[in-house]
Amino acid sequence: MDRAVGADAADAGRRGTPSRGLDTLPEHSRGSPLSVHAMTVAYRRKPVLWDVDYDAPRSGLVAIVGPNGAGKSTFIKACLGLIPKVSGRVEFWGRPYREQRRRVGYVPQRESVDWDFPVSALDVVCMGRYGKIGWCRPVSRAHREAGLACLERVGIADLAGRQISQLSGGQQQRVFLARALAQQADLYFMDEPFTGVDAATERAIVEVLRALRAQGRTVICVHHDLQSVEEYFEHVILMNMRIVAAGPVGGVFTRENLQRTYGGRLTLLAEASEAFAQAERGGG
Amino acid sequence: MSGPLVLSAGAGGGAGAWERLGEVLSFRAGYNTTVVLVGVLMLGIAGGVVGALALLRKRSLVADALSHATLPGVGLGFIVASSLGAGGKNVSVLLTGAAVTGALGVLCVQAIARWSRLAQDAAIAIVLSVFFGAGVVILSVVQGMSAGNQGGLKAFIYGQTAAMSVGDAALMGAIALLSAGAAVLLLKEFAVVAFDEGFARATGWPVMALDLAGMALIVLVTVAGLQAVGLLLIVAILIVPPAAARFWTDRVGGLVLLSAVLGGASGLLGAGASAVLPGKPTGAVIVLVAGGLFLLSMLLAPRRGLLAAGLRRARLRWRVIEDHALRAMLEHTDTHGGARVPRGALARACGWGGSLASWPLRVLIARGLLRREGGDMALTPAGAARAAAVTRNHRLWERYLIERADIAPSHVDFSADLVEHVLSPSIVAALENALRAEGRLPSPHPLSAVEESGARR
């Protein structure tokens, strides 16, 4: 790995998270809900995330912001093992993901599923409890009650029996949020929960996020609205194929860092990825 | 496997045929017919269950590739069996061969889709045609062999339901039981994987293993059904019943159950009908019955069916006509005074052509919204209340579009006309709040009477 590429991340680390080499894990990261170390991810052999280091705070709301194609969703999916890493290590409370699955909740992008699927809102929410229910057993009454309570928390308990295609976009997003709540996790990943929702849904989601923070949970959200970052979140990750800066909003969410994240032309990394992909295709 | 037998019907047509059908379907038509009926019933149930799972996972077409890919296996099985001296038509060897190349075909589809830039539909088309072509070539090789009786191989392409033995029927029963058991036990696991693969993976469900299990069931049903329906038509048993069932239900469990019922019914009715109509190939008739059930479902299903959808559209269209007429009445009386509007003026305002003008009027009168006064029209009290509410919605929406959405006033009437008819009370309230906050509620004059009637909407 070319260390010059990682230099910026290390630089950013001085502001937010501590910098470290490839082989050392700082002591405190063992207790961190999420500790990402030297992670590089590629899609179809085209690198989209380079040498990412990150330690999540023990509790609080974290926004991931960055331009399109910056690798924000990729970061979440790679952490959850949904797409393979080229290199690096991801640990949850110091253990690999498969041992901590029960403590991690996930809200995928709303567009990632077919909403004409023949299930009700409550059916979807109960999927968050399948892990607790286990193999080959039906969803018991108690679990349905728990699912209903989660729908209540996002304010649409009255729609529990609706087929999910009969819900508005905002209501569908709330169903996904309720499913994550049903997981009763300590760390949540949410992929653009605020995208394409109405004002009422946005308020409902923010309320839920604040309640999670009050309970000492950590929530990591891909977020696209720079206006509301400071209002909703206290930590931020600025990402553009690498972590440009990460840490408390007050120190990191600066004009200068945003400029570096959203800088108009292609970053050097994007150009390098493109060149690499071209070579792979045998084109360039 | 017993020798082929012909399900012959009584020669008579008409009432005799119906009687005969009733006899067949109540399992009173003799031993062999009953064996066939039970066999296809079980095959239909198994296909319905397994096909429903495939439909949910959007894998229906993979089943098509699979069934075509069984043909080279049948031919190879024949060659292997006869070279081992086991007799070319050893069915278990043939079916094993079919299962092997069928599974191989599915693997090829997955491999092509994964490692090339081709989408899955292209991969399916390639595998389906190439494997089938290979099968045809191998069968021609078999035909040239001197190993003897290879005549029955064609039955694998078109099916030969009547040749079903007790053992075959029992096998189908076992597969139906296995499919139903798997669906009952693993319904929520299959559902979460099919609905949201990423979430399923993240929460620890073995997506690959569950997909393999589903695919194994499809292979089983396909191979078991090869002799009965043939590899060209077996896919219909897997796809058509669940597609029909989807029209009637919005729940995964309901879909699987109904799909099994429709699949079983297709098998039973199809085999019954072909027993009554001599010389008609049973597999094809089963598929036709399934197609008929699908057509009925598509037309008649209460919410997703085409008739219901057409009715909804017609109702909305009428609603638009009615709203326009009522608003035109109100606006005319507003500008010209008095309560009466000449019919010609109303027709012009609504854009009704001359001869067409009478039927909307008649319906409006029948619905108690308008009444005749001499040659003119007037609003009834109910009509006046509706007209006020409609007009208010129209103006609210129009104003909102101009104020908030930056739409040119000349374009507003068009978009307002489309949307105002579907505004829900909560949207209307929100519009009012938004506009009131800016002191821009539309002119109160004709709307002052609306406040009371608006509450009823």
Side-chain angles (χ1 to χ4, degrees), chain A residues 62 64-74 76 106-111 169 173 176-177 189-197 201 205 209 220-225 233:
Chain A
V62 185
I64 306 179
V65 297
N68 287 335
K72 306 183 293 286
S73 298
T74 305
I76 287 183
Y106 176 39
V107 178
Q109 279 184 27
R110 183 158 54 87
E111 296 78 32
Q173 189 66 59
F176 260 13
L177 186 63
F189 289 100
M190 302 188 183
D191 204 342
E192 306 220 14
F194 293 106
T195 296
V197 301
T201 298
I205 296 175
L209 292 186
I220 300 176
C221 262
V222 173
H223 195 60
H224 65 286
D225 179 21
F233 299 92

Side-chain angles (χ1 to χ4, degrees), chain A residues 70-91:
Chain A
K72 306 183 293 286
S73 298
T74 305
F75 175 77
I76 287 183
K77 287 178 185 158
C79 286
L80 293 172
L82 298 180
I83 47 179
K85 297 180 276 290
V86 175
S87 66
R89 184 158 54 174
V90 178
E91 289 183 338

Side-chain angles (χ1 to χ4, degrees), chain A residues 44 80-82 97 101 106 108 112-120 123-124 127-128 130-131 133-139 161-166 176 179-180 183 281, chain B residues 56-58 113-118 184-192 194-199 201-206 209-210 246 249-253 255 303-304:
Chain A
R44 286 197 171 248
L80 293 172
L82 298 180
Y97 178 59
R101 217 164 240 152
Y106 176 39
S112 64
V113 304
D114 170 17
W115 287 94
D116 197 34
F117 201 80
V119 283
S120 70
D123 291 337
V124 174
M127 288 179 185
Y130 283 7
I133 297 169
W135 282 96
C136 300
R137 312 229 315 254
V139 182
R162 279 254 185 114
Q163 202 261 324
I164 53 175
S165 67
Q166 309 285 309
F176 260 13
R179 181 177 66 174
Q183 292 183 270
R281 283 199 295 269
Chain B
L56 290 172
R57 189 77 176 106
K58 305 200 188 318
R114 178 153 161 64
W115 281 300
S116 80
R117 288 167 167 269
L118 289 173
V184 167
L185 285 177
L186 296 174
L187 190 63
K188 75 177 198 303
E189 286 81 357
F190 280 128
V192 70
F195 172 61
D196 191 346
E197 185 184 333
F199 183 83
R201 216 183 275 280
T203 44
W205 295 103
L210 284 163
R246 183 66 185 88
T249 174
D250 270 337
R251 291 294 180 276
V252 171
L255 179 75
R303 212 172 51 73
R304 300 173 71 95

Side-chain angles (χ1 to χ4, degrees), chain A residues 93-172:
Chain A
W93 296 278
R95 316 286 318 157
Y97 178 59
R98 63 177 180 281
E99 293 175 26
Q100 301 283 20
R101 217 164 240 152
R102 294 290 170 78
R103 298 178 67 186
V104 181
Y106 176 39
V107 178
Q109 279 184 27
R110 183 158 54 87
E111 296 78 32
S112 64
V113 304
D114 170 17
W115 287 94
D116 197 34
F117 201 80
V119 283
S120 70
L122 183 58
D123 291 337
V124 174
V125 175
C126 287
M127 288 179 185
R129 307 200 55 93
Y130 283 7
K132 292 185 175 62
I133 297 169
W135 282 96
C136 300
R137 312 229 315 254
V139 182
S140 69
R141 197 193 175 88
H143 285 293
R144 293 188 82 80
E145 301 276 325
L148 205 55
C150 294
L151 275 175
E152 186 79 59
R153 278 177 72 185
V154 299
I156 51 168
D158 51 327
L159 304 177
R162 279 254 185 114
Q163 202 261 324
I164 53 175
S165 67
Q166 309 285 309
L167 302 171
S168 73
Q171 289 161 347
Q172 290 173 346

Side-chain angles (χ1 to χ4, degrees), chain B residues 107-136:
Chain B
L107 283 181
C108 286
V109 170
Q110 310 290 13
I112 292 173
R114 178 153 161 64
W115 281 300
S116 80
R117 288 167 167 269
L118 289 173
Q120 201 183 38
D121 58 344
I124 287 170
I126 292 167
V127 167
L128 184 153
S129 49
V130 170
F131 272 71
F132 190 71
V136 171

Side-chain angles (χ1 to χ4, degrees), chain A residues 229-280:
Chain A
V229 167
E230 289 172 293
E231 188 189 342
Y232 294 164
F233 299 92
E234 61 261 25
H235 300 271
V236 68
I237 304 173
L238 295 173
M239 190 175 280
N240 191 352
M241 305 188 73
R242 68 198 160 93
I243 292 188
V244 176
V249 169
V252 169
F253 198 64
T254 62
R255 197 186 166 75
E256 184 204 346
N257 278 338
L258 282 171
Q259 200 96 53
R260 289 205 294 150
T261 312
Y262 286 85
R265 60 198 169 76
L266 280 182
T267 62
L268 197 62
L269 287 177
E271 283 183 43
S273 291
E274 198 50 56
F276 185 72
Q278 285 274 333
E280 276 273 326

Side-chain angles (χ1 to χ4, degrees), chain B residues 144-167:
Chain B
M145 282 169 52
S146 54
N149 182 16
Q150 68 274 27
L153 289 190
K154 278 259 160 57
F156 284 90
I157 300 181
Y158 298 112
Q160 196 174 24
T161 317
M164 195 180 284
S165 70
V166 178

